[in-house]
Amino acid sequence: AADLSVDLSTVSRQVATLESTGLVRRTVDPTDRRASLIEATEIGVTVFTENREKWLGALEGLFADWTTPERKEFVRLFARLNQAMQTQAVGTNVPAGAGMETV
């Protein structure tokens, strides 16, 4: 949870939902019984793969008329935004991107 700059309870709820729908399975970490290991089930991998293909197709359509330099600039700026959000969130209890809704 800390690596994602989100509260542990948020992660627990999301994992519980994925587990209840059969997309992931949770097992006890044998090296630390307080922790859980989460892995995708076969159906979880299938759903991920299908949705990934849909998203990639949608993105291809969105960027279809962008030039190569425009795409490279977008990637550069998006990486810069992600880095700034991560830097802001490190060492705080504020989730990455908090307050961005006004931008």
Side-chain angles (χ1 to χ4, degrees):
D3 290 345
L4 299 173
S5 300
V6 294
D7 187 73
L8 182 58
S9 65
T10 301
V11 173
S12 293
R13 281 191 305 274
Q14 295 297 320
V15 169
T17 299
L18 292 169
E19 190 175 25
S20 71
T21 58
L23 298 175
V24 300
R25 80 176 56 85
R26 182 189 330 223
T27 57
V28 175
D29 183 340
T31 63
D32 182 354
R33 303 209 49 86
R34 298 168 296 169
S36 296
L37 300 175
I38 312 299
E39 68 177 323
T41 61
E42 188 175 326
I43 192 165
V45 171
T46 300
V47 168
F48 170 81
T49 302
E50 289 172 356
N51 285 316
R52 182 176 188 273
E53 293 305 315
K54 288 177 187 176
W55 275 106
L56 289 176
L59 287 173
E60 285 178 16
L62 290 171
F63 294 117
D65 64 344
W66 289 33
T67 65
T68 298
E70 288 171 332
R71 290 178 187 198
K72 287 181 179 181
E73 180 68 357
F74 174 77
V75 168
R76 185 186 72 76
L77 291 171
F78 196 69
R80 183 176 169 189
L81 174 64
N82 283 332
Q83 182 61 49
M85 290 169 61
Q86 182 178 16
T87 299
Q88 177 183 351
V90 170
T92 69
N93 290 328
V94 178
M100 295 297 291
E101 49 280 335
T102 60
V103 175

